[in-house]
Amino acid sequence: MQTNPTYSSLVAVGDSFTEGMSDLLPDGSYRGWADLLAGRMAARTPGFRYANLAVRGKLIGQIVEEQVDVAAAMNADVITLVGGLNDTLRPKCDMGRVRGLLEEAVEKLAPACRQLVLMRSPGRQGPVLERFRPRMEELFVCVEELAERHGAVVVDLYGAASLSDPRMWDVDRLHLTAEGHRRVAEAVWQRLGYDPEDIEWRTPMPATVAPGWITRRVTDARFARQHLLPWIGRRLTGRSSGDGLPAKRPELLPYEGPAA
């Protein structure tokens, strides 16, 4: 891959991970790794353009239906695609269908850009994840195969010990903190061929004293009440956290914002 390439545009496709939850800004909006990456790329290229079509809660079928053709038509230099993980967390998940839809997305996006970026998404440590880990790893095998077949690059976040640390995850246990998103932006930046700005993004955080049993139980109860039960409720009623929400940045326009 070219070192320190010149890319003039970026389109991000996906769900809440790419939208930037839970990297919350003071105005109530979300930043996230894709915005951070766009800021870095814009600092190197005058007139750099950026679109982020991601919407929280989207399944791979919705991403294909609502975002992929739009992204392909933008003819950006770089397109990032992260999707399918929400599907693996559903009780009834047809992995054959997920793989087929992901393949459809890659087949449309790869020829529409100079560089397609796929990811093996990060996964935090914890007992809940273990139930879904086989599906996640099946998804990631598909990602690797599609990347090899279509000339895409894969950013391996799943294999980064730093991002599996629970301290990198927000209280909802589903979305990365600001520091987690910063490390993802660095990972994508390096995978695109740019000189590293943080050579230790994979390095785990220093160990700290684990909270006591009572503190953990109180935290677990709060998590269940504020996040887990509402999430289950949406699954049972067929609703999504992204219902009715527009794309984050629906048009490919000059990037405006602080470089990261």
Side-chain angles (χ1 to χ4, degrees), residues 106-149:
V106 170
E107 288 178 346
K108 289 182 177 180
L109 293 176
C113 63
R114 283 176 56 192
Q115 185 61 67
L116 178 63
V117 178
L118 307 177
M119 296 189 197
R120 285 162 46 94
S121 304
R124 62 165 281 155
Q125 298 171 357
V128 175
L129 177 63
E130 295 307 314
R131 175 183 176 187
F132 303 105
R133 191 177 298 277
R135 291 179 183 172
M136 293 171 59
E137 294 183 347
E138 182 178 347
L139 177 68
F140 298 154
V141 169
C142 179
V143 166
E144 295 279 5
E145 292 173 347
L146 289 171
E148 183 175 0
R149 196 182 314 155

Side-chain angles (χ1 to χ4, degrees), residues 222-245:
R222 184 182 301 117
F223 159 72
R225 182 176 65 254
Q226 296 181 355
H227 301 286
L228 181 59
L229 292 178
W231 183 83
I232 293 173
R234 290 194 298 271
R235 299 292 81 76
L236 293 176
T237 58
R239 294 178 292 114
S240 167
S241 57
D243 287 347
L245 294 180

Side-chain angles (χ1 to χ4, degrees), residues 114-240:
R114 283 176 56 192
Q115 185 61 67
L116 178 63
V117 178
L118 307 177
M119 296 189 197
R120 285 162 46 94
S121 304
R124 62 165 281 155
Q125 298 171 357
V128 175
L129 177 63
E130 295 307 314
R131 175 183 176 187
F132 303 105
R133 191 177 298 277
R135 291 179 183 172
M136 293 171 59
E137 294 183 347
E138 182 178 347
L139 177 68
F140 298 154
V141 169
C142 179
V143 166
E144 295 279 5
E145 292 173 347
L146 289 171
E148 183 175 0
R149 196 182 314 155
H150 294 278
V153 297
V154 177
V155 182
D156 184 14
L157 305 173
Y158 186 69
S162 62
L163 293 175
S164 67
D165 189 324
R167 292 171 294 176
M168 286 287 180
W169 295 77
D170 193 44
V171 293
D172 66 2
R173 304 182 184 181
L174 286 175
H175 302 107
L176 291 170
T177 62
E179 174 60 15
H181 280 284
R182 185 197 66 79
R183 295 194 185 211
V184 172
E186 178 66 30
V188 183
W189 174 261
Q190 292 184 24
R191 194 67 183 86
L192 284 171
Y194 295 106
D195 289 336
E197 295 188 9
D198 176 11
I199 61 174
E200 297 185 345
W201 73 267
R202 290 179 174 272
T203 302
M205 297 172 65
T208 58
V209 177
W213 186 89
I214 294 178
T215 300
R216 296 199 305 272
R217 298 295 78 77
V218 170
T219 301
D220 289 344
R222 184 182 301 117
F223 159 72
R225 182 176 65 254
Q226 296 181 355
H227 301 286
L228 181 59
L229 292 178
W231 183 83
I232 293 173
R234 290 194 298 271
R235 299 292 81 76
L236 293 176
T237 58
R239 294 178 292 114
S240 167

Side-chain angles (χ1 to χ4, degrees), residues 64-133:
V64 170
E65 180 179 353
E66 300 168 11
Q67 300 179 33
V68 166
D69 287 341
V70 176
M74 291 179 173
N75 294 310
D77 282 350
V78 177
I79 298 178
T80 66
L81 168 64
V82 187
L85 204 61
N86 282 335
D87 297 78
T88 68
L89 300 178
R90 297 291 178 111
K92 296 180 179 179
C93 173
D94 182 346
M95 286 303 298
R97 181 173 182 273
V98 171
R99 292 194 305 271
L101 287 165
L102 188 61
E103 182 174 10
E104 179 182 344
V106 170
E107 288 178 346
K108 289 182 177 180
L109 293 176
C113 63
R114 283 176 56 192
Q115 185 61 67
L116 178 63
V117 178
L118 307 177
M119 296 189 197
R120 285 162 46 94
S121 304
R124 62 165 281 155
Q125 298 171 357
V128 175
L129 177 63
E130 295 307 314
R131 175 183 176 187
F132 303 105
R133 191 177 298 277

